Amino acid sequence: MATKKMKAIVATGYGSPEVLKVVTVDRPTPKSDELLIKVKVSSATRADTMMRTGKPYIGRLFLGLTKPKNPIPGTGFSGVVEKVGEDVTSFKKGDAVFGETTLNFSANAEYLVIKENGVVHPLPNYIDFEEAANFCDGHVTSYNFLKVKGKIEKGQKVLINGASGALGTSAIQIAKHFGAHVTAVCSEKNEGLVKSLGADIVINYNQENFTKTVNQYDIIYDTVGKSSFRICKAALTEKGLYLSPVLSFSLLFEVFLSTISSKKKAIFEATGTNSDERLNILVTKVMEIYKAGGLKTFINRQFPLEKLAEAHRYIDSGHKRGNVIILNNYK
């Protein structure tokens, strides 16, 4: 019997969005403990664009030295179970699901396979396919940084740099959910958006430099990596935390130095490298906030699968607000 085919995006190497090509490849076959998912919607994130470039180079230790080990990009997805392996008991054909493929990538395709005990969840009736595709990017990452790493508490002062992006829009809502006072840093055109999400104070970065304040913030969450612990240190309280999900050699050095020489700390983590078990716990926690009405997803733009390169160019432009989604099999 002929192997079934599917449309997918393949990164032919590291570089500009032009390395992303539309191809036809064999549809994956689920193993005994796997699900075959027909992907309705997938994500396109700033992290995806950074991994596409293979920079910083330290990331290639996980991604592939000279080109991506897993050439089909994308991690966040939502869709419908097409087929289950013979040992699968938690899902059946036709189930609506969402999740994250982590370092296996492969979400920017018409189909993907994922282990039954991977980061995959039934799609609840209070989340639609579009919202769910980005769930494990902005929401889960920001929850991990603010609650797990930052141990955010009621009454703390939190500053969110890059407040209008996917991570930032989630972070505002999560910080407010835990009772923090939120200062959001963004451009003038995004002030209305961040205020609508609950920001108490908005700083226009073209008019004011938040790093010039002194002993002001318990947490600075730099979602875009545009600042540094060294520059932000004075703005932190005595035991304040600088959190950033944007990998760089300088940040890793600052993390190391702060652990041995300062009450104020710099913290980095690639949330997606946590174990599937740990990520599933985070997803469940965030779903509780979502269900209670404390969180919503702001979708900025959507692109068909064939236009993934165009989506990456848009993200690279630096003008993205909220989330970008990719329509894979959205019919």
Side-chain angles (χ1 to χ4, degrees):
M1 183 170 61
T3 302
K4 293 183 178 180
K5 301 290 185 178
M6 71 172 184
K7 187 184 299 179
I9 307 298
V10 167
T12 57
Y14 293 119
S16 70
E18 280 61 43
V19 303
L20 301 175
K21 305 296 183 184
V22 183
V23 299
T24 298
V25 297
D26 291 341
R27 185 187 300 182
T29 301
K31 297 177 182 177
S32 61
D33 61 345
E34 291 181 333
L35 317 174
L36 175 67
I37 309 296
K38 183 176 183 179
V39 184
K40 282 186 169 289
V41 185
S42 60
S43 61
T45 69
R46 189 168 184 271
D48 290 339
T49 65
M50 293 179 67
M51 288 183 281
R52 185 204 71 231
T53 65
K55 296 178 182 178
Y57 292 111
I58 191 173
R60 298 193 185 193
L61 295 175
F62 306 97
L63 304 176
L65 293 178
T66 60
K67 64 180 181 179
K69 291 186 294 186
N70 298 297
I72 299 175
T75 59
F77 70 89
S78 63
V80 177
V81 177
E82 180 78 6
K83 186 178 180 180
V84 299
E86 58 186 14
D87 295 333
V88 172
T89 59
S90 301
F91 298 92
K92 65 182 184 303
K93 181 177 180 179
D95 285 349
V97 296
F98 75 101
E100 181 83 3
T101 61
T102 65
L103 292 178
N104 292 317
F105 300 97
S106 74
N108 296 144
E110 291 182 315
Y111 294 85
L112 62 80
V113 292
I114 189 168
K115 288 186 178 296
E116 178 186 22
N117 61 358
V119 186
V120 56
H121 293 256
L123 185 72
N125 57 14
Y126 52 86
I127 304 177
D128 60 30
F129 286 109
E130 294 93 337
E131 294 171 311
N134 281 87
F135 200 89
C136 296
D137 176 47
H139 298 328
V140 171
T141 299
S142 288
Y143 179 91
N144 181 46
F145 271 89
L146 291 175
K147 185 59 178 176
V148 180
K149 299 299 177 183
K151 296 178 173 56
I152 190 171
E153 295 179 356
K154 183 177 181 179
Q156 284 189 320
K157 290 186 176 181
V158 176
L159 180 137
I160 300 165
N161 192 30
S164 61
L167 296 175
T169 52
S170 295
I172 293 169
Q173 299 172 82
I174 291 169
K176 293 302 296 181
H177 172 79
F178 288 110
H181 181 279
V182 176
T183 297
V185 181
C186 62
S187 65
E188 181 179 4
K189 72 174 184 178
N190 292 320
E191 288 184 12
L193 170 62
V194 300
K195 285 180 180 177
S196 73
L197 296 174
D200 298 290
I201 297 174
V202 180
I203 293 177
N204 178 348
Y205 60 71
N206 290 313
Q207 297 180 353
E208 184 178 348
N209 186 349
F210 73 86
T211 67
K212 300 300 182 182
T213 58
V214 178
N215 299 329
Q216 185 75 23
Y217 304 106
D218 299 291
I219 296 174
I220 292 177
Y221 180 33
D222 186 358
T223 71
V224 288
K226 295 293 186 182
S227 189
S228 69
F229 175 62
R230 178 181 60 81
I231 294 173
C232 293
K233 192 173 180 179
L236 290 168
T237 54
E238 183 182 4
K239 295 183 179 180
L241 301 176
Y242 173 84
L243 314 174
S244 180
V246 183
L247 177 63
S248 68
F249 285 108
S250 60
L251 176 57
L252 293 179
F253 185 65
E254 289 176 334
V255 168
F256 171 73
L257 284 183
S258 72
T259 60
I260 61 175
S261 63
S262 175
K263 291 182 179 180
K264 304 178 183 183
K265 303 296 182 185
I267 297 175
F268 164 79
E269 183 178 87
T271 300
T273 62
N274 277 271
S275 68
D276 289 348
E277 180 181 10
R278 181 62 186 156
L279 289 171
N280 281 325
I281 292 172
L282 294 176
V283 172
T284 300
K285 293 291 187 182
V286 176
M287 286 174 66
E288 292 172 358
I289 300 174
Y290 210 100
K291 185 177 182 180
L295 190 58
K296 58 185 178 181
T297 303
F298 175 70
I299 296 173
N300 179 210
R301 286 194 183 182
Q302 59 186 35
F303 296 82
L305 180 62
E306 298 87 345
K307 296 293 183 67
L308 181 66
E310 185 176 327
H312 274 231
R313 278 192 289 272
Y314 172 61
I315 296 170
D316 284 346
S317 73
H319 300 307
K320 180 175 76 71
R321 306 166 73 224
N323 297 273
V324 171
I325 60 172
I326 305 300
L327 305 181
N328 299 38
N329 275 297
Y330 202 73
K331 299 176 183 177

